Amino acid sequence: MIEARDTGAPETGRPAGGRDFRPEDDGKRGRRKKKRSPKLLWGAVAGAVAVVAAAAAGAVVLTGGDDDKSAATGLSNGPGVLPTAYTPQMADRQMARIAQRSADQRPMTQGEVFSNETKTVTYQNYSFTLAGSQLSGDCKSVTWGQRLHDDLAKAGCSQIARGIYVSQDRKYVGQFAAINLASQEGADQIVRVMDPATKSGFVLPLLAPGAPKFGGGFSAAYAQAYGHYTIVTWVQRAGGARPASLNEMIDISLAVEKPADFVWGRLPDEGNGR
């Protein structure tokens, strides 16, 4: 288990140095307990995802399936800023079967990542609605930072899917991003290079018409390698106010990370080599 830490971003007025953000409510020091859904029937899950992806392909035009359509729907990039708190996590052994993109060659689709099941996401008392999503084949255009751009190119970045979520009470905003890379080694490196301590760059937040602005003030991001994918969940209070506890940000992130479930559907079945 990895602890989230305060990176001392300028917005907080705190010195740099990666201090723990100690929540006052339960003494768990901001530990992020990963939500794990049962993923035992790999073949059945993969089939279900394939059906969802095929069914959603025709809906891409309505939801901004590429950069040009995103512009038509009013989606845009937010400012190039760094999260205040950041938790990196490398890939685990469960994802070894898709450690290489050569074992998972089908490109992501917007309907697969942001399926009907992820239009509304919940965790505990938090509920969020997808306000906009975008799938880009130009990794450089939806990220910032020269070193990050260089590492994305070296890691064979081919796609980045992004979504913006707004809580039903409009008090919170969340960003989700899935980065398609050539290998798990590259995915782990992107998790490392996006650490705000390196000041190397980050994913640009996706903005949607009518959604609260995202990027200024206090925010917390959680990045993990899932095989050859890097998944980023980035959350904040609307307006960027500092939360009373980092556990508040953790709970929000556990709702917003729901689209990451698409990765489980891409794991080949161990029995037949799919």
Side-chain angles (χ1 to χ4, degrees):
M1 189 69 66
I2 299 176
E3 296 178 2
R5 61 181 183 276
D6 186 340
T7 63
E11 294 89 340
T12 67
R14 296 182 62 185
R19 300 180 183 178
D20 289 341
F21 184 143
R22 297 177 184 269
E24 295 81 0
D25 53 358
D26 65 2
K28 294 181 182 178
R29 299 182 62 190
R31 292 179 181 269
R32 185 171 188 259
K33 185 176 181 179
K34 292 292 289 181
K35 176 182 62 175
R36 296 294 188 190
S37 300
K39 311 291 185 190
L40 300 178
L41 301 177
W42 303 113
V45 173
V49 170
V51 169
V52 170
V60 172
V61 172
L62 300 177
T63 55
D66 57 29
D67 295 329
D68 293 335
K69 296 184 180 72
S70 294
T73 59
L75 298 174
S76 61
N77 291 331
V81 296
L82 292 168
T84 315
Y86 182 74
T87 299
Q89 190 166 333
M90 303 302 120
D92 58 34
R93 288 178 293 179
Q94 290 178 296
M95 293 292 160
R97 282 172 281 165
I98 53 170
Q100 303 295 323
R101 189 162 58 205
S102 57
D104 174 36
Q105 297 183 31
R106 178 169 54 87
M108 293 187 294
T109 67
Q110 187 173 354
E112 175 189 14
V113 180
F114 300 105
S115 65
N116 288 335
E117 293 181 351
T118 64
K119 298 298 173 62
T120 299
V121 295
T122 60
Y123 182 73
Q124 294 188 358
N125 296 325
Y126 298 102
S127 180
F128 288 77
T129 300
L130 183 67
S133 60
Q134 179 202 60
L135 177 64
S136 178
D138 181 356
C139 299
K140 187 175 180 178
S141 69
V142 297
T143 57
W144 68 272
Q146 186 59 53
R147 182 179 171 189
L148 176 59
H149 288 166
D150 291 345
D151 281 1
L152 286 169
K154 291 176 183 177
C157 182
S158 61
Q159 298 174 293
I160 299 182
R162 297 179 299 158
I164 176 172
Y165 283 90
V166 180
S167 65
Q168 291 188 353
D169 59 11
R170 298 185 64 80
K171 292 182 178 180
Y172 302 96
V173 188
Q175 300 281 333
F176 174 88
I179 306 173
N180 189 346
L181 303 156
S183 69
Q184 181 173 302
E185 180 181 4
D188 284 341
Q189 173 58 19
I190 297 306
V191 169
R192 286 189 290 266
V193 78
M194 285 195 299
D195 190 322
T198 72
K199 298 181 180 179
S200 299
F202 211 74
V203 177
L204 290 170
L206 182 66
L207 305 183
K213 292 184 179 180
F214 187 96
F218 188 97
S219 63
Y222 307 87
Q224 181 174 358
Y226 284 72
H228 68 93
Y229 299 95
T230 296
I231 301 296
V232 182
T233 307
W234 188 12
V235 297
Q236 71 173 178
R237 285 184 172 183
R242 185 184 179 98
S245 164
L246 190 56
N247 284 353
E248 180 182 326
M249 298 289 97
I250 292 170
D251 289 345
I252 295 166
S253 76
L254 290 172
V256 174
E257 77 170 6
K258 175 65 176 177
D261 282 355
F262 86 93
V263 178
W264 295 94
R266 286 176 168 260
L267 287 173
D269 184 79
E270 290 182 301
N272 58 26
R274 284 186 66 243

